[in-house]
Structures are given as C-alpha cells and as structure tokens.
Amino acid sequence: MQTKKKVSVSDVIASKAKEKLAVITAYDYSTATLCDRAGTDILLVGDSASMVVLGHASTVPIGMNEMLIFCNAVSKGAKRAMVVGDMPFGSYQPSNSLALENAVRLVKAGCDAVKLEGGSEKAETVKALVDSGIPVMGHIGLKPQTSSLWEGYRVQGKTSKSAMKLMQDAKALQAAGAFSIVLEMVTSEVAAEITGSLDIPTIGIGSGTQCDGQVLVLHDMLGIYEDIKPKFVKRYAELSRVISEAVSRYSVDVKAGQFPEESNTFHMDADEALLFREKVGRSKSK
Ligand code: KIV
C-alpha cells in the first residue's frame, strides 16, 4: 500500500482489486515494531495468542484482560500499520451492549478496529459496533472459537450448500458495515466467488490466491513451533532452530565461564577500586 501515514479504513477498502493486503498477527511491542517497519498493512492482534503465546489448546480460554495487554503493546509498535484487535470468545456473544463495551475497551487500548467471528447471525452485532463508530473486520469460514467446541478445524465451503451459506454470510457482514472479511480455510473456488461479489476486501488464510489480502499467524510463518505446520502456511524462517541453537550456545558459554566477556563488563575507576578494597579489608579485620 502506497501510504506512508497510518493505514486507514478507507485505505483498506480502496486497496480492493488494486493491491493485495499483507496482514500478519502480532502480540507484542517488539514484533509489532518489526512487522510495521517491514511494511505490513494490518497487524491483527489475534486471539490465536491464546495458543501461540499463552500455550492453551484453543482460542477459547483467552479473555479481554489478556487481549487488552497484547493490543496495547502492539499499538505502540504500529506507526503505520492498522491495528485490529480480536474480540475473544465470550466478549461479544452475550449481547450487543457487551460487545460494544468490549470493543470500546479494545479501541481505548490502541486498536484502530476490531474483529469478530460469525456470519449473518452476527450481522446485528457488527452493525451495532459500526453505528457506534467502531470499524469491524468480519471473520467467516472456519471460526476457531466455536469450531473447537463443535466439529473441529475443517475446510469450509466444500458443498454448494455450505458455499451458498458462506456467500450469504459475507454479504450480510458487508451490509452490516464490515470494512473487510477474513475467510479462514474456505475452498479457493468459494473464496474467489465471494471476493468477486463484495465491494470490501477479503483477507484469506488457507483460502487460496484470489482473496484481496492474506493473513498468517506470525509464529507459523516464522517457524517458531517446529512441529506445527498447517498446509496453508508458508514458512519464511525456521526460528525454532535459530532460537534453540542460540540459547544452547549461551548455556554452554555460561557454564564454561566464556560469557560474559571483558567487553560485556563494567569497571570502577582504579583509585575507587583501591579505596573499596582497603575499606573491605578494614571491615574484615574488625
Ligand atoms: O486469531 C487469529 O490469529 C486469527 C487469524 C487466524 C485470522 O483470527
């Protein structure tokens, strides 16, 4: 995206069919700063933090308090990228007023927009947030918050019936005022058709090449977990190896007395050191 200033909702919508959107998840200040400087358009503070940062088995356990901390840290590192905060499970389902209250908390923590999972059944919630001035990114296809409770993680849109439902969901979210929609693990045929039918951008994860943008979980694309490699992930680094090697070299150095080196060490002035030793000597002889 051309803009050097902060990426806005209108920049995102205007990118449709002109330029693909590069979206990545981020959860802390240091990686947000790196991703922002690397030119990512949107930093998504995903509830995937529940799994990749907090070590839970699904995205269900994470709550607002944790999300607020991650969102605040990411927003400080995002000078140009738009920051989208994920609404965690339980923060928007009970009522539209709770959804609004929690969306406001995410915006106050530094988010430029929020994301929530769900299609037509969540259109009213999306509308309530948008009417209150909060930009919303939709999320359909695989919805990890509820999929983990029901059928597990499966590719969506394999039959014409489920494909039509996804199309209706996407249109309902657009009509409700969503400024973009994540399509997660949707067959590429359906993702392409939805993308062509909407005026707002689609952001794919495991949904083929035709989406208007792509999103990946940072830890997946950096190879931080050696054993986790979903089919739709391309690894751009093998950080588990780099980190393990660095930390084991450090441990060996510490045990062998080879770290710290002279260059890592602070010293007193020579005369102060002399005085100090004299005082220590006097205090020992007392
Ligand atoms: O939580 C997350 O990281 C997400 C992306 C996978 C889209 O929702």
Side-chain angles (χ1 to χ4, degrees):
M1 197 177 287
Q2 294 307 318
T3 180
K4 284 204 168 81
K5 55 180 180 43
K6 185 96 177 164
V7 174
S8 67
V9 167
S10 31
D11 292 328
V12 171
I13 296 173
S15 73
K16 173 114 186 156
K18 288 200 196 97
E19 191 184 347
K20 299 262 188 189
L21 289 164
V23 185
I24 193 124
T25 66
Y27 315 99
D28 62 34
Y29 173 72
S30 56
T31 51
T33 304
L34 292 171
C35 295
D36 184 72
R37 289 186 188 154
T40 317
D41 299 310
I42 300 178
L43 297 181
L44 169 64
V45 189
D47 61 355
S48 48
S50 182
M51 302 170 80
V52 300
V53 182
L54 300 179
H56 295 302
S58 77
T59 58
V60 169
I62 198 167
M64 277 300 295
N65 290 343
E66 292 112 323
M67 286 304 297
L68 288 168
I69 293 170
F70 296 142
C71 287
N72 189 239
V74 168
S75 72
K76 288 179 183 140
K79 303 288 177 249
R80 177 189 165 276
M82 169 187 276
V83 176
V84 177
D86 227 349
M87 300 202 66
F89 186 60
S91 70
Y92 58 98
Q93 287 89 350
S95 68
N96 288 352
S97 64
L98 184 68
L100 182 56
E101 205 176 292
N102 283 322
V104 167
R105 292 173 78 198
L106 289 171
V107 171
K108 282 185 188 278
C111 293
D112 303 304
V114 301
K115 174 170 87 59
L116 56 87
E117 293 180 12
S120 323
E121 77 288 0
K122 283 284 159 280
E124 265 189 35
T125 310
V126 170
K127 186 170 176 346
L129 303 191
V130 174
D131 286 350
S132 301
I134 299 176
V136 180
M137 178 182 277
H139 183 153
I140 58 172
L142 178 78
K143 293 169 283 186
Q145 292 176 2
T146 43
S147 298
S148 63
L149 300 173
W150 292 82
E151 75 276 15
Y153 296 172
R154 294 219 185 113
V155 177
Q156 307 289 306
K158 286 185 129 182
T159 64
S160 60
K161 188 175 170 203
S162 65
M164 282 312 291
K165 168 78 173 96
L166 286 168
M167 177 67 85
Q168 282 155 12
D169 284 342
K171 288 189 173 163
L173 290 174
Q174 173 171 272
F179 72 97
S180 57
I181 303 178
V182 168
L183 303 180
E184 180 159 358
M185 276 175 75
V186 171
T187 52
S188 61
E189 295 81 357
V190 179
E193 203 61 49
I194 291 175
T195 301
S197 305
L198 297 181
D199 300 324
I200 56 171
T202 57
I203 298 163
I205 173 159
S207 299
T209 58
Q210 300 301 306
C211 296
D212 297 304
Q214 295 292 328
V215 57
L216 280 179
V217 170
L218 186 70
H219 291 55
D220 288 345
M221 62 90 78
L222 292 181
I224 288 184
Y225 294 108
E226 205 173 5
D227 306 333
I228 301 173
K229 193 176 184 299
K231 174 181 160 80
F232 56 80
V233 170
K234 178 171 173 185
R235 276 204 187 157
Y236 286 83
E238 296 295 342
L239 285 200
S240 65
R241 203 180 308 143
V242 174
I243 293 171
S244 305
E245 277 172 20
V247 175
S248 77
R249 270 176 34 228
Y250 163 76
S251 304
V252 168
D253 276 1
V254 169
K255 288 178 194 302
Q258 283 171 352
F259 176 83
E261 296 174 13
E262 180 54 28
S263 59
N264 310 120
T265 306
F266 301 102
H267 290 289
M268 296 171 84
D269 287 341
D271 43 359
E272 284 296 330
L274 197 62
L275 257 176
F276 174 57
R277 277 189 210 108
E278 277 172 16
K279 284 181 185 173
V280 171
R282 275 203 299 274
S283 69
K284 271 188 193 154
S285 61
K286 272 185 194 160

